[in-house]
Amino acid sequence: MRYAIFSDVHGNLQALEAVCQAYKKENIDAYYCLGDIVGYGANPNECIDMVRRLKAVSVAGNHDWAVLGRTDVAYFNPVAKQAVFWTKEKLTQTSKTFLESLELICKTEAFTLVHASLNDPKRFRYIFEIGQTPETFARLDGNVCFIGHTHIPGIFLQKGEKRSQSFSSEVSVTDAEKYIINAGSVGQPRDGNPLAAYCIYDTDQKKISIKRISYDIREAQKRILDAHLPEILAFRLAVGQ
Ligand code: ZN
């Protein structure tokens, strides 16, 4: 099977369209989304529609929960908070119903999906580096867990009690190891690379790849500015921060 796994679309329709086009050339069998479909970008409803059309099984992110009032936005920075309020106003009932249906964790035969981390998933704890991975590795039933949330693609491995991080964009999956894979962000990359990130897990070849694709950043920026969302949300797309 070839699985498409993507995260943190954040209402960026241009980036999501480009990623969908890229996936079309990849013989994908099933789609999965790691949450934060909305927030920051100017097209939350359109992005939800597209995720639904892909029949992507999705988990909830902190922004998806914030627009539903399920998570306290007190710890959101002012720009994120403003985007949450803007998005809340724009969401259709269909979109809200879809977001309400999302669980925090999804387990399949081949992998587990969670937006942030497996320990206390509703607190959305960040995994930026290897020291933040033990609790999630400990709670992982199978050997592969996909995450998002930081908007920084990454591969974390555990063999026995030894944990390490790989800075490659690909990893071969073996039974002897456990993996936490951050799929990066479709709609707001923050690793200094503005290209949209997306992930593929080929369970026959036992290979996970994180790929990048260019998209119409200018159009995404224009829509953010036209919507009177904070300008920084447009500018940061160009630098991938
Ligand atoms: Zn996010």
Side-chain angles (χ1 to χ4, degrees):
M1 290 281 277
R2 282 175 68 78
Y3 297 100
I5 298 133
F6 59 92
S7 192
D8 293 274
V9 172
H10 282 292
N12 185 337
L13 183 62
Q14 286 66 44
L16 182 57
E17 280 173 343
V19 165
C20 286
Q21 287 302 321
Y23 274 141
K24 273 187 192 155
K25 297 172 195 150
E26 295 276 3
N27 282 320
I28 297 300
D29 295 299
Y31 289 86
Y32 289 85
C33 171
L34 287 156
D36 276 7
I37 303 168
V38 306
Y40 298 136
N43 292 101
N45 293 306
E46 294 83 350
C47 288
I48 289 174
D49 285 349
M50 193 164 272
V51 169
R52 295 177 70 204
R53 279 202 300 279
L54 292 170
K55 297 189 169 52
V57 177
S58 185
V59 291
N62 52 320
H63 284 255
D64 305 319
W65 265 32
V67 297
L68 297 174
R70 284 187 183 173
T71 196
D72 188 2
V73 292
Y75 74 96
F76 277 50
N77 67 53
V79 166
K81 220 182 279 183
Q82 225 175 308
V84 165
F85 294 138
W86 181 93
T87 304
K88 211 174 193 172
E89 289 293 305
K90 297 287 168 189
L91 282 189
T92 63
Q93 190 51 52
T94 312
S95 294
K96 271 185 210 158
T97 306
F98 176 78
L99 293 181
E100 278 164 3
S101 74
L102 304 182
E103 306 280 345
L104 286 167
I105 297 176
C106 165
K107 287 182 187 179
T108 77
E109 268 178 29
F111 48 80
T112 297
L113 301 174
V114 66
H115 182 65
S117 63
L118 287 177
N119 52 318
D120 214 355
K122 59 177 173 300
R123 300 203 49 186
F124 301 103
R125 296 176 196 277
Y126 288 96
I127 296 179
F128 281 106
E129 38 98 13
I130 196 73
Q132 296 164 320
T133 59
E135 291 91 344
T136 291
F137 275 126
R139 284 167 179 78
L140 181 56
D141 292 333
N143 65 336
V144 180
C145 181
F146 288 97
I147 62 168
H149 197 37
T150 64
H151 300 205
I152 297 170
I155 297 171
F156 303 97
L157 308 95
Q158 180 176 268
K159 192 174 190 177
E161 282 306 302
K162 258 188 95 181
R163 284 178 285 272
S164 59
Q165 182 169 2
S166 160
F167 292 94
S168 168
S169 57
E170 260 181 29
V171 65
S172 292
V173 177
T174 68
D175 292 337
E177 288 174 308
K178 284 186 168 195
Y179 306 84
I180 297 172
I181 309 292
N182 191 315
S185 170
V186 171
Q188 197 196 78
R190 293 179 193 162
D191 59 339
N193 177 352
L195 304 182
Y198 62 103
C199 187
I200 296 169
Y201 183 12
D202 187 317
T203 51
D204 299 321
Q205 301 214 355
K206 298 186 183 301
K207 201 175 89 180
I208 297 170
S209 325
I210 303 167
K211 301 190 174 193
R212 309 300 284 258
I213 183 97
S214 63
Y215 71 96
D216 192 345
I217 291 179
R218 284 184 177 218
E219 179 62 24
Q221 290 177 316
K222 183 180 179 299
R223 292 194 189 197
I224 286 170
L225 297 174
D226 287 351
H228 304 293
L229 278 154
E231 288 179 356
I232 178 74
L233 295 175
F235 301 149
R236 68 188 303 175
L237 294 180
V239 288
Q241 286 295 346

